[in-house]
Amino acid sequence: MARLSVSLRRRWRELYHRSSIQVILSLFFTAVAVVGMVFLGLTLFLRFSASNNALLVENSQRVLSQVNLNLDARLREMMRVSDAAYYRVIKDADLAEEDIARDLELLYYTSRESLVSIAVFSDSGDLIAAAPLAVLKNSVSPEREGWFSAAQERIENLHFSTPHVQNLFVDPDYRYRWVVSLSRHVELTRDGAIESGVLLVDMSYSGIEQICKDVDLGAGQGGYLYLMDGAGEIVYHPRQQLIYAGLLEENNASAAAYADGSHNEVFQGQRRQVTVKTVGYTGWKLVGVVPSENLWDNYGQLLLFFLFIVFFSVFLLVLVNLRLSAWITAPMKKLDRAVKELEAGRETVDLKVDGPYEVEHLSRSIQSMVSTMRHLMDDILQQEEQKRRSELDVLQSQINPHFLYNTLDSVIWMTENGRTEDAVVMLTSLARLFRISLSRGSNIITVAEELEHARHYLTIQKMRYKNKFSADLSAEDGVEGLYTIKLIVQPILENAIYHGMDYADGDGKICVQAFREGEDVVIEVADNGPGMPEEVVERLLDQSGVYAAAGSKGSGIGLRNVHRRIQLTFGRAYGLSILSEPDDGTVVRIRLPALDEEAGRRYRKEGGQ
């Protein structure tokens, strides 16, 4: 608990320091009023919700009572037909002398809208009379039917069956009708003797379905009503076919034990309000089901009204508080905006602010501080630019003397040995090479000029190494016209020759390719030399010091020199990458931005050349 309190206080302090004065003032005034309104509103809302819930329960019970009355009327009509058939037809007739079929038919036609058939059977299941159909199917045994055995077992009661297809009689129209059967034990008179029998009255199921379907429980979508017998067997359900098919389940077994009234239950993870009403004479139960989620749908308008009042009140409070706090904090906000513009790098910012004495004094102090900082920043930028130029110049100066001394030694050696023609060719290539190196003082040249510089360098080195290796230079269309910093390929070639071609015996090969790769230019230098292990590759571009393999030639500048120059000019996204495996050669990739003439001119100006 103590840790939670400390954490909350820390977060509150962080929020306090990040917020403006206007926001803090507005929040404090608004929070007090909003808490009061929300508390009062929730109290009223919960009170109204409870009342509305009670009204919904009452409405469900009222709807079930109305359905019960309609069912009761339909069942009473069925019972009246049964009583009329028994007491007016069967009781007054001696079956040995009279045929009661005509009387049953007349009785049927008086109630044919709700009846399907009336039939009288003997105690053994033989048909005595029926209307309107009077021929039993050969495959039917009435004495095995549930309604027949129920009438014989409890002779003092009327028995109502669950819905089933009427399949006793031969129907010339081949119709299958869903019925609810009322069966009862009757006493038959034959030759003055009394014997037992069963009276069957089939009521059309559509009548019950018509009464129960489309019942509105007043809870929006999701509420429904179903009918079951006393044992929990479903008589009517709006999704009865799905239940019979096993695609849907109903909690009718539990509902059968509910007393009349309203109950709350959880079925298949859903909370529901269940209202139960028993139908008289039958023991059937009407069950109204309303998911609890739908009860809340009835509170929608009340909740929307409550939210509207709260949000509207909060809006007014925030508007008033913001206006008041804005008037108080306007000078500070203006000064804050000016400081943010300075932070964003804007050159000219109006820092003069009218307001209380403290704000004006702060404004003048900031103006003085900004002026001093700008002078200091200009000095620092000039120093950094000079430092960068000096570093580039030092790196550049490390390349030219190194190669010049080695080449001049070769020219002297050729001249002393009478190879004047070779010396002339080498000096010519050396002159052209240094003409490109000078580039009229510019550090930025075209890729074509850089490749030409590399070609002259390779001419000199092939003569020095007596054609131990061959070289191939190529460039993709459009690449030669792009711009790069100068003298970046020659040190890579020097490294490839000294470390890769020194022991070649005429089979050495160096390939130089320049091509576009997205928005970049890649110059790739590949050789078929002995290659290097991974740990050597990792240390080649290490800026912490100079690394040279044991027994190797060269100045130790090479790759790191080029890598450093590229990154100083274009940024750390560019530079060298090395791929090498022992006995599998080496590939050095130089990655540069693709600079057109305008971009190259801009870098030339930044370099001060």
Side-chain angles (χ1 to χ4, degrees), residues 201-233:
V201 179
D202 282 335
M203 180 177 67
S204 175
Y205 176 69
S206 62
I208 295 177
E209 186 179 30
Q210 189 66 33
I211 293 173
C212 295
K213 75 175 183 179
D214 300 329
V215 173
D216 183 11
L217 293 179
Q221 295 182 354
Y224 61 91
L225 176 145
Y226 69 92
L227 179 65
M228 64 180 179
D229 63 14
E233 293 294 328

Side-chain angles (χ1 to χ4, degrees), residues 134-152:
V135 180
L136 282 175
K137 292 181 178 179
N138 294 328
S139 59
V140 171
S141 297
E143 68 277 6
R144 297 179 182 177
E145 299 291 334
W147 51 265
F148 191 94
S149 58
Q152 286 184 320

Side-chain angles (χ1 to χ4, degrees), residues 17-57:
H17 290 303
R18 289 199 305 266
S19 302
S20 66
I21 298 176
Q22 179 183 357
V23 171
I24 292 173
L25 290 174
S26 300
L27 284 177
F28 271 113
F29 287 127
T30 304
V32 174
V34 168
V35 168
M37 287 190 302
V38 170
F39 177 77
L40 179 62
L42 284 177
T43 302
L44 294 174
F45 176 72
L46 293 175
R47 183 75 176 270
F48 282 124
S49 297
S51 300
N52 194 34
N53 189 34
L55 289 175
L56 286 174
V57 171

Side-chain angles (χ1 to χ4, degrees), residues 263-292:
H263 307 269
N264 291 316
E265 68 175 16
V266 178
F267 180 62
Q268 295 182 338
Q270 184 184 47
R271 297 185 61 84
R272 315 193 305 179
Q273 183 190 81
V274 177
T275 305
V276 179
K277 179 71 174 177
T278 301
V279 180
Y281 306 107
T282 63
W284 291 355
K285 289 186 176 182
L286 283 168
V287 183
V289 178
V290 178
S292 296

Side-chain angles (χ1 to χ4, degrees), residues 336-357:
D336 179 65
R337 286 194 298 269
V339 172
K340 287 181 178 178
E341 290 178 359
L342 286 173
E343 292 175 349
R346 186 172 176 180
E347 292 293 332
T348 58
V349 178
D350 183 14
L351 289 168
K352 185 177 180 181
V353 177
D354 295 328
Y357 166 77

